Amino acid sequence: MLSLYQIEVAYKRISKYINKTPLISSDKLDKLTKAKIVIKAECLQKTGSFKIRGAINMISQIASDKVVAPSSGNHAQGVAAAAKLFNKTATLVMPEDAPKSKILGVKFYDGKIVFYDRHKENRMEIAKEIAKKENSILIPPYDHKNIILGQGTLGYEAIKQMEEIMFTPDLVLCCCGGGGLISGVATALKSKWNNLNIHPIEPENWDDTKLSLLKNERQIIKNKKNSICDALLAETPGKLTFKINRKLLSKGISVSDSKALQAIHLAYAWLKLIPEPGGAVALAAALNESELIKNKNVLIIISGGNIDKEIFLNSLDTVLPKI
């Protein structure tokens, strides 16, 4: 198991390169949910998501001048940005249907993109082949100690911010794909508040962590269906991340694409934030789990904001809840 001390060391390593993203609140959201909510707005992070934290933490510690990473898009941007910071070249293995905003983000940081078909090809195998052929270092999207510690800096940062406003959380809602963010965040937060309930939030039909927690062993999603939450479509939890998460997490929660769209609209209208679908699932869960969060102090993590125009416009067609 990893420690808060290791996360604090990682934070000192990366803090000068990243944004200290704000904690924000909304009187409207509190009234609607009958809860006291603070939101960690990580969609305002450099590259538009938390992924740059883990990427910098790992890449800053390697000697090789070449890295390769498989990614749905946010990790790719984080790796490309981190590689550029430390004068390394980055090759990113991304799906052909990745959001345009994520592709453009990688190109901005001079990353070389190798596209693959997410329905027929295995991105990790492609990345491993490139690493072998080009003698480069593979930067995995979540299942690595240095990636998890880097993502855990979000939790460390949130602890300091909640202490400043004297906010003690009862529960946390955090998105979950492969489990890198939530395992790092849970490690940090549970070291401060041991009885804290931390719930992984996943898209419907991609709730592998929810199922794995119920079975107490890693499960694989076999009936893959389309989802707009492209950042969270891991078919099984990571080995290391699940080893951590099975000890630290409470029950999993899944949300539909339509609820994610509604959460995007609400974030825009009430919070003045524009999350991507995968970044909005924790907020969507808060809107749909009224009994779980009622009369509680809740930390919600909005993890990313790399959204394409079409999906954002679709979100504005959803109906906002009435207070």
Side-chain angles (χ1 to χ4, degrees), residues 176-228:
C176 184
L181 174 64
I182 199 168
S183 60
V185 166
T187 298
L189 295 179
K190 292 281 266 190
S191 69
K192 174 70 175 177
W193 298 290
N194 189 47
N195 294 323
L196 186 61
N197 287 316
I198 302 175
H199 298 277
I201 316 299
E202 299 169 288
E204 275 185 357
N205 305 310
W206 291 91
D207 50 356
D208 48 289
T209 293
K210 176 183 175 181
L211 298 173
S212 298
L213 290 170
L214 286 170
K215 298 283 188 179
N216 202 32
E217 63 180 6
R218 294 164 69 225
Q219 301 294 300
I220 299 174
I221 299 296
K222 294 176 180 175
N223 185 20
K224 301 179 181 69
K225 296 184 178 180
N226 290 334
S227 171
I228 60 171

Side-chain angles (χ1 to χ4, degrees), residues 17 58 69-70 72 82 87 89 98 101-102 108 143 155 163 181 183 201 203 226 252 311 314 318:
Y17 302 110
M58 184 167 180
S72 61
N87 299 311
T89 59
S101 60
K102 297 180 181 181
F108 174 80
D143 214 25
E163 286 177 338
L181 174 64
S183 60
I201 316 299
N226 290 334
I311 290 179
N314 287 342
T318 64

Side-chain angles (χ1 to χ4, degrees), residues 26-312:
S26 163
D27 294 337
K28 288 183 180 179
L29 187 58
D30 287 356
K31 185 173 182 179
L32 174 70
T33 60
K34 298 180 175 61
K36 183 65 177 174
I37 292 174
V38 296
I39 292 171
K40 181 66 167 162
E42 191 68 7
C43 51
L44 302 178
Q45 186 55 261
K46 289 181 180 178
T47 73
S49 91
F50 70 92
K51 289 286 192 176
I52 194 170
R53 294 174 181 266
I56 291 177
N57 189 51
M58 184 167 180
I59 290 172
S60 64
Q61 298 181 73
I62 62 176
S64 173
D65 62 356
K66 290 186 285 188
V67 298
V68 59
S71 171
S72 61
N74 283 337
H75 180 58
Q77 290 182 88
V79 168
K84 190 165 186 177
L85 267 175
F86 297 101
N87 299 311
K88 303 177 189 298
T89 59
T91 301
L92 299 313
V93 182
M94 297 177 66
E96 296 167 336
D97 59 350
K100 294 174 187 176
S101 60
K102 297 180 181 181
I103 294 170
L104 291 173
V106 170
K107 290 181 177 178
F108 174 80
Y109 290 106
D110 300 328
K112 174 189 173 185
I113 301 175
V114 174
F115 289 109
Y116 77 100
D117 184 334
R118 74 162 83 227
H119 304 291
K120 297 177 181 178
E121 296 178 286
N122 185 303
R123 66 184 188 178
M124 184 59 79
E125 292 305 316
I126 295 170
K128 285 179 179 177
E129 280 297 313
I130 293 171
K132 185 177 178 181
K133 181 180 177 182
E134 299 184 354
N135 194 29
S136 56
I137 300 296
L138 180 66
I139 311 295
Y142 47 83
D143 214 25
H144 190 283
K145 172 184 173 181
N146 287 332
I147 295 293
I148 296 169
L149 290 173
Q151 318 308 26
T153 64
L154 186 154
Y156 176 80
E157 198 173 87
I159 288 172
K160 300 301 180 186
Q161 292 170 310
M162 288 187 285
E163 286 177 338
E164 286 177 9
I165 61 173
M166 294 181 287
F167 184 90
T168 302
D170 299 306
L171 62 89
V172 179
L173 303 176
C174 178
C175 70
C176 184
L181 174 64
I182 199 168
S183 60
V185 166
T187 298
L189 295 179
K190 292 281 266 190
S191 69
K192 174 70 175 177
W193 298 290
N194 189 47
N195 294 323
L196 186 61
N197 287 316
I198 302 175
H199 298 277
I201 316 299
E202 299 169 288
E204 275 185 357
N205 305 310
W206 291 91
D207 50 356
D208 48 289
T209 293
K210 176 183 175 181
L211 298 173
S212 298
L213 290 170
L214 286 170
K215 298 283 188 179
N216 202 32
E217 63 180 6
R218 294 164 69 225
Q219 301 294 300
I220 299 174
I221 299 296
K222 294 176 180 175
N223 185 20
K224 301 179 181 69
K225 296 184 178 180
N226 290 334
S227 171
I228 60 171
C229 300
D230 64 286
L232 303 179
L233 306 186
E235 64 178 28
T236 190
K239 290 181 182 179
L240 178 56
T241 57
F242 188 66
K243 185 178 179 182
I244 297 167
N245 286 332
R246 73 195 299 185
K247 292 181 172 69
L248 299 181
L249 300 189
S250 300
K251 70 171 185 175
I253 298 168
S254 56
V255 300
S256 66
D257 280 2
S258 61
K259 295 299 183 182
L261 284 172
Q262 184 190 46
I264 294 168
H265 187 184
L266 185 142
Y268 166 71
W270 292 6
L271 307 174
K272 313 311 172 191
L273 300 173
I274 305 179
E276 64 185 275
V281 294
L283 179 59
L287 301 179
N288 291 281
E289 297 286 337
S290 56
E291 289 306 309
L292 178 69
I293 71 169
K294 186 178 179 181
N295 299 322
K296 298 284 199 328
N297 286 349
V298 185
L299 170 64
I300 293 175
I301 297 170
I302 292 184
S303 57
N306 292 308
I307 184 171
D308 278 354
K309 177 182 176 182
E310 293 79 9
I311 290 179
F312 175 60

